[in-house]
Short mmCIF file of all heavy atoms in Angstrom, two decimals:
data_model
loop_
_atom_site.label_atom_id
_atom_site.label_comp_id
_atom_site.label_asym_id
_atom_site.label_seq_id
_atom_site.Cartn_x
_atom_site.Cartn_y
_atom_site.Cartn_z
N ALA A 1 -95.04 -30.04 35.52
CA ALA A 1 -95.25 -31.43 35.86
C ALA A 1 -94.70 -31.91 37.07
O ALA A 1 -94.86 -33.04 37.62
CB ALA A 1 -94.75 -32.33 34.64
N GLY A 2 -93.80 -31.13 37.72
CA GLY A 2 -93.09 -31.45 38.93
C GLY A 2 -91.71 -31.90 38.74
O GLY A 2 -91.10 -32.46 39.70
N GLY A 3 -91.28 -31.74 37.58
CA GLY A 3 -89.75 -32.01 37.32
C GLY A 3 -88.88 -30.85 37.65
O GLY A 3 -89.44 -29.75 37.78
N LEU A 4 -87.60 -31.25 38.01
CA LEU A 4 -86.65 -30.12 38.21
C LEU A 4 -85.63 -30.31 37.02
O LEU A 4 -85.11 -31.39 36.76
CB LEU A 4 -85.88 -30.50 39.54
CG LEU A 4 -84.73 -29.54 39.80
CD1 LEU A 4 -85.35 -28.08 40.18
CD2 LEU A 4 -83.92 -30.02 40.91
N VAL A 5 -85.47 -29.23 36.19
CA VAL A 5 -84.54 -29.18 35.19
C VAL A 5 -83.70 -27.93 35.25
O VAL A 5 -84.23 -26.85 35.47
CB VAL A 5 -85.35 -29.31 33.74
CG1 VAL A 5 -86.33 -28.22 33.72
CG2 VAL A 5 -84.39 -29.27 32.64
N GLU A 6 -82.37 -28.11 35.11
CA GLU A 6 -81.58 -27.00 35.08
C GLU A 6 -80.29 -27.37 34.13
O GLU A 6 -80.03 -28.56 33.94
CB GLU A 6 -81.12 -26.64 36.45
CG GLU A 6 -80.30 -25.45 36.69
CD GLU A 6 -80.84 -24.13 36.09
OE1 GLU A 6 -81.12 -24.08 34.89
OE2 GLU A 6 -81.05 -23.16 36.85
N THR A 7 -79.64 -26.27 33.89
CA THR A 7 -78.37 -26.56 33.01
C THR A 7 -77.13 -25.78 33.69
O THR A 7 -77.28 -24.94 34.57
CB THR A 7 -78.50 -25.92 31.60
OG1 THR A 7 -78.69 -24.47 31.73
CG2 THR A 7 -79.71 -26.52 30.91
N LEU A 8 -76.02 -26.31 33.35
CA LEU A 8 -74.77 -25.65 33.82
C LEU A 8 -73.68 -25.99 32.79
O LEU A 8 -73.87 -26.97 31.95
CB LEU A 8 -74.26 -25.96 35.17
CG LEU A 8 -74.06 -27.59 35.50
CD1 LEU A 8 -72.66 -27.83 35.16
CD2 LEU A 8 -74.54 -27.95 36.82
N GLU A 9 -72.65 -25.09 32.68
CA GLU A 9 -71.64 -25.25 31.68
C GLU A 9 -70.25 -24.96 32.27
O GLU A 9 -70.12 -24.25 33.24
CB GLU A 9 -71.97 -24.54 30.34
CG GLU A 9 -72.52 -23.18 30.64
CD GLU A 9 -71.44 -22.18 30.95
OE1 GLU A 9 -70.31 -22.25 30.46
OE2 GLU A 9 -71.66 -21.29 31.81
N THR A 10 -69.25 -25.38 31.55
CA THR A 10 -67.88 -25.15 31.87
C THR A 10 -66.98 -25.37 30.81
O THR A 10 -67.48 -25.65 29.55
CB THR A 10 -67.43 -26.10 33.04
OG1 THR A 10 -66.04 -25.97 33.41
CG2 THR A 10 -67.61 -27.49 32.56
N ALA A 11 -65.68 -25.23 30.82
CA ALA A 11 -64.78 -25.32 29.64
C ALA A 11 -63.44 -25.78 30.31
O ALA A 11 -63.11 -25.43 31.39
CB ALA A 11 -64.59 -24.18 28.84
N THR A 12 -62.81 -26.63 29.45
CA THR A 12 -61.34 -26.98 29.83
C THR A 12 -60.57 -27.40 28.58
O THR A 12 -61.07 -27.27 27.42
CB THR A 12 -61.52 -28.27 30.72
OG1 THR A 12 -60.30 -28.55 31.29
CG2 THR A 12 -61.97 -29.48 29.98
N PHE A 13 -59.28 -27.74 28.83
CA PHE A 13 -58.51 -28.17 27.66
C PHE A 13 -58.86 -29.68 27.29
O PHE A 13 -59.51 -30.41 28.10
CB PHE A 13 -56.97 -28.18 28.07
CG PHE A 13 -56.64 -26.81 28.47
CD1 PHE A 13 -56.39 -26.33 29.68
CD2 PHE A 13 -56.34 -25.81 27.44
CE1 PHE A 13 -56.02 -25.00 29.98
CE2 PHE A 13 -55.95 -24.64 27.63
CZ PHE A 13 -55.77 -24.04 28.99
N TRP A 14 -58.54 -29.97 26.02
CA TRP A 14 -58.96 -31.16 25.51
C TRP A 14 -58.48 -32.47 26.29
O TRP A 14 -59.28 -33.35 26.59
CB TRP A 14 -58.35 -31.48 24.08
CG TRP A 14 -59.21 -30.67 23.03
CD1 TRP A 14 -58.77 -29.58 22.25
CD2 TRP A 14 -60.42 -30.98 22.55
NE1 TRP A 14 -59.73 -29.12 21.41
CE2 TRP A 14 -60.81 -30.06 21.54
CE3 TRP A 14 -61.45 -31.78 22.94
CZ2 TRP A 14 -62.04 -29.90 20.94
CZ3 TRP A 14 -62.77 -31.65 22.30
CH2 TRP A 14 -62.92 -30.79 21.39
N SER A 15 -57.28 -32.40 26.91
CA SER A 15 -56.75 -33.51 27.52
C SER A 15 -57.57 -33.76 28.95
O SER A 15 -57.47 -34.84 29.50
CB SER A 15 -55.23 -33.33 27.95
OG SER A 15 -55.15 -32.10 28.72
N ASN A 16 -58.31 -32.69 29.40
CA ASN A 16 -58.99 -32.88 30.57
C ASN A 16 -60.52 -33.05 30.44
O ASN A 16 -61.27 -33.15 31.39
CB ASN A 16 -58.75 -31.50 31.36
CG ASN A 16 -59.22 -31.60 32.89
OD1 ASN A 16 -58.95 -32.64 33.58
ND2 ASN A 16 -59.87 -30.56 33.39
N VAL A 17 -60.93 -33.05 29.09
CA VAL A 17 -62.45 -33.21 28.92
C VAL A 17 -63.01 -34.57 29.54
O VAL A 17 -64.05 -34.47 30.30
CB VAL A 17 -62.71 -33.22 27.43
CG1 VAL A 17 -64.13 -33.63 27.10
CG2 VAL A 17 -62.64 -31.68 26.98
N PRO A 18 -62.48 -35.71 29.39
CA PRO A 18 -63.07 -36.89 29.86
C PRO A 18 -63.10 -36.94 31.50
O PRO A 18 -64.13 -37.18 32.12
CB PRO A 18 -61.99 -38.00 29.59
CG PRO A 18 -61.41 -37.59 28.41
CD PRO A 18 -61.23 -36.09 28.56
N ALA A 19 -62.02 -36.35 32.23
CA ALA A 19 -62.13 -36.22 33.70
C ALA A 19 -63.14 -35.22 34.10
O ALA A 19 -63.75 -35.48 35.09
CB ALA A 19 -60.67 -35.83 34.12
N LEU A 20 -63.15 -34.06 33.40
CA LEU A 20 -64.11 -33.15 33.81
C LEU A 20 -65.63 -33.62 33.74
O LEU A 20 -66.38 -33.44 34.55
CB LEU A 20 -64.04 -31.97 33.05
CG LEU A 20 -65.09 -30.71 33.13
CD1 LEU A 20 -65.00 -30.26 34.57
CD2 LEU A 20 -64.73 -29.60 32.11
N LYS A 21 -66.01 -34.21 32.48
CA LYS A 21 -67.25 -34.81 32.27
C LYS A 21 -67.73 -35.87 33.40
O LYS A 21 -68.70 -35.82 33.88
CB LYS A 21 -67.33 -35.46 30.89
CG LYS A 21 -68.70 -35.95 30.47
CD LYS A 21 -68.85 -36.44 29.12
CE LYS A 21 -70.23 -36.91 28.72
NZ LYS A 21 -70.64 -38.18 29.38
N ALA A 22 -66.66 -36.71 33.63
CA ALA A 22 -67.00 -37.79 34.72
C ALA A 22 -67.16 -37.25 36.07
O ALA A 22 -68.10 -37.52 36.86
CB ALA A 22 -65.75 -38.81 34.67
N ALA A 23 -66.31 -36.18 36.38
CA ALA A 23 -66.36 -35.55 37.75
C ALA A 23 -67.76 -34.89 38.04
O ALA A 23 -68.35 -34.97 39.05
CB ALA A 23 -65.23 -34.65 37.94
N VAL A 24 -68.15 -34.13 37.00
CA VAL A 24 -69.37 -33.30 37.03
C VAL A 24 -70.56 -34.24 37.10
O VAL A 24 -71.55 -34.08 37.90
CB VAL A 24 -69.44 -32.27 36.04
CG1 VAL A 24 -70.75 -31.50 36.07
CG2 VAL A 24 -68.37 -31.15 36.13
N THR A 25 -70.62 -35.12 36.17
CA THR A 25 -71.71 -36.12 36.13
C THR A 25 -71.84 -36.89 37.47
O THR A 25 -72.97 -37.07 38.08
CB THR A 25 -71.50 -37.19 34.98
OG1 THR A 25 -71.42 -36.35 33.83
CG2 THR A 25 -72.74 -38.10 34.89
N THR A 26 -70.73 -37.48 38.01
CA THR A 26 -70.93 -38.12 39.23
C THR A 26 -71.22 -37.13 40.39
O THR A 26 -72.12 -37.58 41.28
CB THR A 26 -69.43 -38.64 39.64
OG1 THR A 26 -69.05 -39.68 38.53
CG2 THR A 26 -69.38 -39.43 40.92
N ALA A 27 -70.74 -35.95 40.53
CA ALA A 27 -71.07 -35.10 41.53
C ALA A 27 -72.59 -34.68 41.59
O ALA A 27 -73.21 -34.76 42.73
CB ALA A 27 -70.38 -33.75 41.43
N ILE A 28 -73.10 -34.45 40.42
CA ILE A 28 -74.57 -34.11 40.34
C ILE A 28 -75.39 -35.34 40.58
O ILE A 28 -76.42 -35.24 41.40
CB ILE A 28 -74.88 -33.55 38.92
CG1 ILE A 28 -74.13 -32.28 38.68
CG2 ILE A 28 -76.40 -33.44 38.80
CD1 ILE A 28 -74.27 -31.75 37.24
N THR A 29 -75.09 -36.42 40.02
CA THR A 29 -75.75 -37.70 40.26
C THR A 29 -75.83 -38.10 41.86
O THR A 29 -76.91 -38.30 42.32
CB THR A 29 -75.30 -38.85 39.43
OG1 THR A 29 -75.29 -38.53 38.19
CG2 THR A 29 -75.94 -40.13 39.62
N ASP A 30 -74.63 -38.08 42.45
CA ASP A 30 -74.60 -38.38 43.82
C ASP A 30 -75.33 -37.29 44.78
O ASP A 30 -76.02 -37.75 45.64
CB ASP A 30 -73.12 -38.47 44.40
CG ASP A 30 -72.42 -39.67 43.74
OD1 ASP A 30 -72.94 -40.52 43.13
OD2 ASP A 30 -71.17 -39.67 43.89
N ALA A 31 -75.29 -36.10 44.41
CA ALA A 31 -75.87 -35.08 45.30
C ALA A 31 -77.49 -35.26 45.16
O ALA A 31 -78.17 -35.07 46.17
CB ALA A 31 -75.49 -33.69 44.69
#
């Protein structure tokens, strides 16, 4: 249909989960 779809994954400690999710989401969205 002309969409671009891809996945990626990572892992971290529980205390870092919110920061990691926010950083990756922002980086992909901005790019």
